[in-house]
């Protein structure tokens, strides 16, 4: 669904700064947990390692914490 918002998956993790060698190492994360909310302010790119961190720590972002690429 996020592709409809024209969000572009980055090569750098928004959480830890990891630089990926392959696109498959990164996923698009929905900040509010609602996959239907495809607002650019709700989408972040994170690496596969940070997916686990987000699950365990329940990391949440507030609007404006990270700048969305346009």
């Amino acid at each position: 669904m996020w592709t409809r918002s024209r969000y572009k998956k980055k090569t750098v993790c928004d959480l830890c700064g990891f630089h990926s060698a392959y696109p498959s190492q990164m996923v698009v994360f929905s900040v509010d947990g609602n996959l239907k909310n495809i607002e650019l302010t709700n989408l972040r790119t994170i690496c596969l390692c940070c997916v686990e961190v987000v699950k365990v720590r329940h990391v949440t972002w507030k609007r404006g914490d990270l700048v969305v690429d346009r």
Side-chain angles (χ1 to χ4, degrees), residues 1-10 14 27-46 61 66-69:
M1 297 231 1
W2 60 267
T3 54
R4 283 193 233 159
S5 71
R6 296 193 179 138
Y7 181 81
K8 294 188 191 294
K9 187 165 46 169
K10 302 176 210 171
D14 284 328
V27 297
V28 175
F29 177 76
S30 180
V31 174
D32 68 3
N34 179 359
L35 298 178
K36 293 181 181 180
N37 180 357
I38 57 172
E39 293 289 323
L40 292 177
T41 56
N42 188 50
L43 302 173
R44 304 287 186 267
T45 301
I46 60 175
W61 285 288
L66 300 171
V67 177
V68 178
D69 290 344

Side-chain angles (χ1 to χ4, degrees), residues 45-62:
T45 301
I46 60 175
C47 66
L48 295 176
C49 289
C50 284
V51 168
E52 296 304 317
V53 171
V54 169
K55 286 180 189 176
V56 174
R57 288 191 192 166
H58 303 290
V59 174
T60 59
W61 285 288
K62 294 178 186 168

